[in-house]
Amino acid sequence: MYRSDPYASSPGGVRSMRTDPTSMDRANQVTRSVVVLPGDGVGPELMQAVMCVIDEAGASVDWQICDAGATVFRDGIASGVPDETLDAVESAGVVLKGPLETPVGYGEKSANVTLRKLFELYANIRPIRALPGIATPYSGRDIDFVVVRENVEDLYAGIEHMQTPDVAQCLKLISRKGSEKIARLAFALARAEDRHKVECATKANILKLTEGLFKSTFESVAADHTQFESGHLMVDTCAHKMVVAPEDFDVLVTTNMNGDILSNLAAGLVGGLGLAPSANLGRDVAIFEAVHGSAPDIAGQGLANPTALLLSAVLMMRHIGQHEVADVVENALYRTLEDGTHLTADIARDADPVGTDVFAGAVLDNFGRSARQLENRTYSPLRMPDVVHGPLGEVSRDLTGVDVFVEWKGNADALGQSLETAIFASGFRLSMISNRGTKVYPGRIGYTETVNHWRCRFAWTERDWSCVDAEILGLLNRIGEIHRWMHVEKLQHFDGTPGFTLAQGET
Ligand code: NAD
């Protein structure tokens, strides 16, 4: 299978960090079970080609093909993933996944999200590397970095409520533990890939508590990894820098929604979503998949480009410790892209486009070769890190008041006066009302446009703090007699620090 190669001695190519690999290594390799979810659309045809290439490279894997996606939804399983598949994933711990569709009218949640949540796949890893032979406006800029996206928290916990018929709300949940896990993983990945810099992108200047917790947790984890350069970027600055100086990034860790947007932007720099691989990692399960979808417009025609799924399989082979297979396949793929003679229609240059199978065949023919123009990169095993700091221990807490969210069609002054009357002699004082985050009562409302969703902030004024909880129920009863309220937030101080933010204009 391996051929002599005029470029084999060139410095290009990818290498895994291990001692002098020989064919004996492969003979001694433990066979790993891998669950395969071929998925929908182009998924099955791509998966077949990719499994063939990985097998031919000498992988020791036992493929277990399971169902998930559109046909499962149509069979009436609302999650899109049958129990037998979940059992197989739990037992194998490693999955190579094709794109999954959620057919209209079946199930509310996608099968992808089900898998991510059920197996606590808290990290989404998106390598961003300029591919040889793929011309982009950034060609020659040596782009090579990794986006590490927190994958289960943030706005994507998907906790949404219509607060009024006209105002929708989504809870942005960031936990200290979740932030520490992803920050530690970013440093572990930097170590495994011999990278030197880990940066964190947040919007902590505006979202001081949520994004602020992610930032401060990252900084405390960075203090445990002083051998790496580390730093923080505002996410908007980060987006700008990614476009003007993408070669400056090495490892970028960020919250779920920031990461969703930035990783797609980053993929666009090096050829687009159609070429982008990804890994979803948890402590017990890892799922590897192309970023693109099921491409229904070309499904079943044998035309799809297997690059993204093949690169995802390469990530998987490194994850299961079969580095030599990963290197052979990755180098052969890069060489195929660089040669440019056997490319699918989406990336074909001067030569006539070929189909999925011919492309995969060209990769097989290039086993043992590497791209002429490629920086060397070495990989060692990625170890999933443990949480060290974890949640805070005992903290003192003072409950100093409550925000009650009220639906109201009138103006701020009328609402304020009605509430002042309702809470007379209650032990609470109406300290302010805000609308869409800006203080509108008491005082001038200015040009603030108001909607029928008002935050009414009540401060506890009595000396006895032990009864505030019970008094809040009494307060809600009083308010409920004259207004429709829908949402309550306690105002707490933890170890003397306010656990809530002020409204714009509130002092
Ligand atoms: P898509 O990525 O499937 O297709 C967008 C365009 O890219 C199409 O023109 C398609 O032909 C092309 N394309 C995609 N992959 C290609 C490949 N390997 N080779 C050549 N061309 C390729 O995006 P979409 O049309 O928005 O989504 C189609 C379906 O896939 C939807 O049901 C969506 O929900 C699902 N989807 C699943 C995943 C996943 O499972 N992770 C991700 C994205 C979309």
Side-chain angles (χ1 to χ4, degrees), residues 159-174:
I159 306 171
E160 295 191 295
H161 296 94
M162 289 305 295
Q163 291 281 296
T164 76
D166 308 301
V167 178
Q169 172 195 274
C170 180
L171 287 188
K172 180 176 169 80
L173 290 179
I174 304 283

Side-chain angles (χ1 to χ4, degrees), residues 106-127:
Y106 293 87
E108 199 177 309
K109 301 280 180 195
S110 87
N112 294 309
V113 177
T114 299
L115 288 166
R116 195 182 304 163
K117 298 270 185 188
L118 264 182
F119 294 108
E120 190 63 27
L121 305 176
Y122 66 88
N124 181 254
I125 310 293
R126 295 271 291 267

Side-chain angles (χ1 to χ4, degrees), residues 120 122-123 152 176-186 217 221 283 385-387:
E120 190 63 27
Y122 66 88
V152 289
R176 195 181 301 280
K177 186 176 176 187
S179 304
E180 183 182 343
K181 278 166 74 174
I182 197 73
R184 287 197 182 279
L185 186 70
T217 306
V221 170
R283 172 151 291 286
D386 291 324
V387 168

Side-chain angles (χ1 to χ4, degrees), residues 15 58 189 208 293:
R15 280 205 299 263
L189 184 124
K208 293 186 166 54

Side-chain angles (χ1 to χ4, degrees), residues 46 97-102 112 274 289-298 304-305 346:
L46 289 177
K97 187 180 92 54
L100 304 181
E101 294 172 4
T102 311
N112 294 309
E289 61 178 329
V291 170
H292 65 72
S294 61
D297 50 337
I298 55 168
N305 183 348
D346 55 319

